[in-house]
Amino acid sequence: MKPTRILTFKCAKCTKPVKVFLQKVSACSHIQPYQGICDCGEVKRHATGNPDAVKSYLESTDGNWHHHH
């Protein structure tokens, strides 16, 4: 089963809907990272999968996050 490529969340800053897109940073099945930018400029991140990988992705502040085995 393939993960959904686009998800929609409510922006934490302005409450408008923001679409996040599946990122191609991880080729493994441990994590499916998503990222999008709201119209107000707020970056929204989401991920599903391994709890440790999800936590490190959500806590990263730059665009250079990579999942390591």
Side-chain angles (χ1 to χ4, degrees), residues 6-65:
I6 301 172
L7 300 173
T8 304
F9 291 93
K10 189 184 288 188
C11 178
K13 192 173 183 181
C14 73
T15 71
K16 288 183 182 175
V18 57
K19 287 185 180 176
V20 294
F21 299 87
L22 183 62
Q23 304 297 295
K24 300 231 185 253
V25 297
S26 179
C28 75
S29 61
H30 289 97
I31 183 171
Q32 290 82 44
Y34 294 81
Q35 184 171 305
I37 301 175
C38 182
D39 289 340
C40 75
E42 185 76 5
V43 174
K44 172 66 179 171
R45 290 181 179 202
H46 176 73
T48 59
N50 177 279
D52 292 332
V54 168
K55 184 174 186 278
S56 75
Y57 174 69
L58 296 178
E59 289 176 351
S60 68
T61 55
D62 60 21
N64 296 321
W65 180 91

